[in-house]
Amino acid sequence: MTETLLDGAEMAILINRFEGIVRKMSNTLYRTGRSGVLNRARDFSCCIVTADCELLAAADSLPIHTLVGPNLMARAVKEFHPVLKRGDAFLHNSPYHGNSHAADHTILIPVIDDDGIHRFTVLTKAHQADCGNALPTTYMGTAIDVYAEGALIFPAVKVQQDYRDIEDIVRMCELRIRVPGQWKGDFLAMVGSARIGEREVLALGREAGWDKLQAFAGQWFDFSEQRMATRIRQMPAGKTTGVSVHDAIPGTPSDGVRVVATVEVHPQEGSITIDLRDNIDALPCGLNLTEACTGTAALIGVFNSIGGDIPRNAGSFRRVEIKLRENSVTGIPRHPTSCSVATTNVADRLTHAVSLAIGQLGDGYGIAECGGCLPPSSSVISGVDPRNGERFVNQLFLGSTAGPGTPFGDCWLTYLHVGNGGMCFIDSVELDELYQPIWVAERRIIPDTEGAGRGRGAPSLFVEFGPIGCSVDLAYVSDGSVNAALGVRGGGVGGRAGHLKRRVDGVIEPLSNCAQVTLTDGETIQSICCGGGGYGPPHERAPARVLADVAEGWITKERARDVYAVVVDDTMRVDEAATQKLRASSSAAAGAT
């Protein structure tokens, strides 16, 4: 059979058709998910992989969920279930078989054509409000192993056959998970989302022809690989090492978790090598990365750092070699290592290490560090609602800024953390107060906490909230109270994280950066998220932009003068002469050092 060759128009139409299917899947889950982490925060992703288990389309999904992992999970399904039939569905959350972490339940459905041939696999991944952990949180930073973590682990377990639920599995989840009705609603929403994807891909295959779709996938991967190679050929050659340090928590070294990435760019070959083998062994805590999160975090660091409109799929990934080792904190975990927090904290530090390494190659490459994640404003909250007597568990998304400065401009203010790419939504205060027995006292930006630079990092965010008429438990694993977000190429550091408890008597006491905290009626918790690092020297920032920052309240006049060397007068105008003089002296001082 002669291979079908598609022209550019056909390629563009088909990738948009596939991405349109992914968006239908996402809209289905967003509109039908029961937990706030799905229907308010949008902490989920959908994608399509080929029958050969290569990532084809992910549309606007969270990067940490989709770059590496869907391929590994799809392979696990094929390995454990060699005979796939239409009507099958599989639940997968095993950190040892390709998933991100146990809290991310994934539904995989093979798309089987009318002749019984497996053509594609659709995936819907959704972060759970509760996954059966020993504590009421899906981020157990202090879990010494998977047994202490306690989550139900499903390594590609069949949950539907002939389009019908296998009730044994459903009953297991309902008995283990603290909010069974909420979980069941999310489970049905996930299955519905994936079934929408199956239906739409089947319709597209019947319309366009399966051979044409197979040819498209191969040519789309080749095109994406070529785009990636072309971009890398424009980069400077070099071998650099980046280091980012996660704050210490129980189970880590006392000076924190040092994450090292050595990046070598080969422009002539159009390839990049990332060596992660020089990292410590897996730790007796939940910060260890899964294979999926390690690979994904490294790829995010590359794509964030090199610019260009390059498709994110199996084709472009071919140009990046990632060297891992087993039993490393940033490698391939061995059972029973806990990877409870694999999608966020150390994963973010790995992305930063890659970005910082690439930033050393030259101006225009790399980005600054994003702020550390999961402060109390992103904690998992649980308790019994006095308004109805029912138990509740949910992750709050009350706000985290943390965006890094870039060579192309300022931060994404509400970035949250580097692994979600700014895709998660910030909770409405009113809805959080409606769905949980809490009140939010304050949510505001803290001036002068941005990572100063030519490209400015995000300022820190202050959030204060507490329970009403009851006690609640809050669990969080925060980072960045010691190791603030670093700037790159002369950029400044972002503001540090903070965690404080206001007692009923008004006394404020500090909290640790990894804790489960009980708040009683009248008490509040104060959360300060990290600011993002800056890119490039602050005195290279255009004075007009510095003036705009002062006018918006991001920075004070004093910081404009002392850090950016811009003088703003009492009429809120830039004093050009004073600014030129100040910048000249700042440049001279910088040259002398």
Side-chain angles (χ1 to χ4, degrees):
M1 180 179 67
T2 303
E3 182 179 2
T4 304
L5 294 177
L6 286 74
D7 59 30
E10 290 176 303
M11 295 276 287
I13 289 169
L14 285 176
I15 188 54
N16 278 280
R17 290 288 296 273
F18 275 109
E19 290 191 347
I21 292 170
V22 173
R23 290 190 174 93
K24 284 185 178 181
M25 296 167 65
S26 297
N27 288 338
T28 299
L29 185 55
Y30 184 51
R31 294 173 66 87
T32 60
R34 186 167 297 182
S35 63
V37 72
L38 301 186
N39 63 31
R40 297 195 294 280
R42 202 189 176 283
D43 191 353
F44 62 79
S45 300
C46 302
C47 65
I48 300 171
V49 301
T50 66
D52 293 331
C53 307
E54 294 186 296
L55 179 66
L56 179 66
D60 51 359
S61 296
L62 277 59
I64 196 65
H65 282 169
T66 52
L67 298 190
V68 178
N71 57 330
L72 302 175
M73 289 188 288
R75 287 175 197 158
V77 168
K78 294 177 70 172
E79 177 185 351
F80 298 147
H81 307 274
V83 179
L84 300 174
K85 296 182 180 180
R86 188 181 293 181
D88 289 346
F90 303 91
L91 173 60
H92 196 322
N93 76 329
S94 171
Y96 315 108
H97 301 89
N99 193 39
S100 42
H101 67 154
D104 286 335
H105 282 195
T106 305
I107 296 293
L108 298 95
I109 291 178
V111 179
I112 310 296
D113 71 11
D114 296 333
D115 295 323
I117 300 173
H118 177 208
R119 296 293 186 174
F120 295 92
T121 299
V122 294
L123 297 89
T124 293
K125 173 179 287 194
H127 187 89
Q128 301 299 297
D130 187 276
C131 62
N133 278 348
L135 297 176
T137 177
T138 47
Y139 298 102
M140 280 192 64
T142 57
I144 61 172
D145 56 28
V146 73
Y147 305 117
E149 190 178 329
L152 282 165
I153 303 296
F154 298 99
V157 173
K158 186 183 288 189
V159 291
Q160 280 194 339
Q161 186 170 325
D162 296 327
Y163 294 98
R164 294 181 180 274
D165 289 347
I166 298 174
E167 294 293 341
D168 295 346
I169 306 302
V170 175
R171 286 196 299 273
M172 288 174 62
C173 291
E174 289 178 326
L175 284 177
R176 177 67 181 175
I177 291 172
R178 293 174 178 83
V179 280
Q182 179 174 284
W183 171 83
K184 181 66 176 296
D186 287 347
F187 169 76
L188 293 174
M190 293 170 64
V191 171
S193 165
R195 288 295 180 200
I196 288 287
E198 175 196 30
R199 183 189 72 186
E200 295 295 319
V201 174
L202 283 170
L204 179 58
R206 291 168 184 148
E207 173 190 340
W210 294 110
D211 289 343
K212 188 171 188 176
L213 294 187
Q214 183 176 349
F216 159 74
Q219 292 170 43
W220 178 242
F221 291 148
D222 290 344
F223 168 81
S224 303
E225 181 181 9
Q226 183 183 42
R227 289 286 300 275
M228 185 70 165
T230 298
R231 179 66 182 122
I232 295 172
R233 290 189 181 105
Q234 298 169 358
M235 297 177 66
K239 183 177 182 180
T240 57
T241 297
V243 178
S244 185
V245 183
H246 188 287
D247 291 357
I249 69 167
T252 72
S254 59
D255 57 350
V257 183
R258 187 172 182 269
V259 179
V260 181
T262 298
V263 178
E264 188 166 7
V265 179
H266 314 278
Q268 290 186 337
E269 301 172 11
S271 66
I272 294 174
T273 301
I274 302 173
D275 193 340
L276 304 177
R277 294 173 295 182
D278 188 22
N279 282 299
I280 62 174
D281 288 345
L283 297 165
C285 67
L287 295 183
N288 304 290
L289 301 191
T290 58
E291 182 180 0
C293 289
T294 301
T296 294
L299 285 172
I300 294 172
V302 171
F303 283 113
N304 282 358
S305 299
I306 66 174
D309 185 15
I310 301 165
R312 275 64 162 163
N313 60 43
S316 56
F317 301 165
R318 295 170 186 165
R319 290 289 165 166
V320 182
E321 179 188 7
I322 303 172
K323 296 181 178 180
L324 308 179
R325 69 177 179 87
E326 286 193 7
N327 196 42
S328 167
V329 70
T330 58
I332 304 172
R334 297 173 184 161
H335 185 274
T337 298
S338 175
C339 304
S340 183
V341 196
T343 55
T344 50
N345 298 46
V346 170
D348 285 11
R349 292 294 182 174
L350 171 53
T351 297
H352 299 158
V354 172
S355 298
L356 293 173
I358 294 176
Q360 296 174 41
L361 294 172
D363 199 41
Y365 298 98
I367 61 172
E369 284 196 307
C370 179
C373 62
L374 297 186
S377 59
S378 298
S379 60
V380 177
I381 185 171
S382 62
V384 176
D385 193 329
R387 298 170 296 184
N388 53 28
E390 295 182 359
R391 189 169 196 170
F392 65 91
V393 181
N394 188 51
Q395 184 179 1
L396 299 175
F397 283 74
L398 272 169
S400 183
T401 49
T406 79
F408 315 109
D410 292 340
C411 66
W412 184 330
L413 179 65
T414 56
Y415 203 52
L416 181 65
H417 84 103
V418 71
N420 83 356
M423 292 303 300
C424 283
F425 296 162
I426 292 179
D427 288 351
S428 156
V429 167
E430 292 77 11
L431 288 179
D432 271 357
E433 292 177 337
L434 177 65
Y435 283 103
Q436 287 95 203
I438 64 172
W439 70 290
V440 179
E442 191 174 8
R443 181 165 67 180
R444 60 178 171 82
I445 293 292
I446 304 175
D448 293 348
T449 54
E450 88 299 347
R454 186 174 69 235
R456 174 176 51 74
S460 296
L461 182 73
F462 176 90
V463 180
E464 183 174 3
F465 63 98
I468 295 179
C470 64
S471 296
V472 298
D473 290 325
L474 299 170
Y476 61 88
V477 188
S478 185
D479 181 26
S481 59
V482 177
N483 296 287
L486 298 177
V488 70
R489 304 202 66 79
V493 301
R496 287 178 170 80
H499 338 86
L500 304 163
K501 178 179 178 179
R502 185 193 294 272
R503 300 188 330 210
V504 175
D505 60 7
V507 174
I508 295 176
E509 58 187 36
L511 298 170
S512 65
N513 62 345
C514 176
Q516 182 172 2
V517 179
T518 299
L519 295 181
T520 60
D521 191 14
E523 294 182 323
T524 60
I525 194 166
Q526 297 179 342
S527 171
I528 300 172
C529 81
C530 289
Y535 191 101
H539 65 263
E540 292 183 3
R541 185 169 178 82
R545 297 175 71 186
V546 176
L547 177 64
D549 291 342
V550 173
E552 291 294 330
W554 305 122
I555 63 173
T556 60
K557 290 182 181 180
E558 292 74 20
R559 187 166 176 84
R561 180 193 64 227
D562 297 340
V563 177
Y564 293 91
V566 173
V567 179
V568 178
D569 64 24
D570 293 338
T571 65
M572 285 300 292
R573 296 179 180 175
V574 174
D575 185 327
E576 300 287 352
T579 295
Q580 289 180 9
K581 181 178 179 180
L582 187 57
R583 288 201 160 184
S585 61
S586 297
S587 297
T593 58

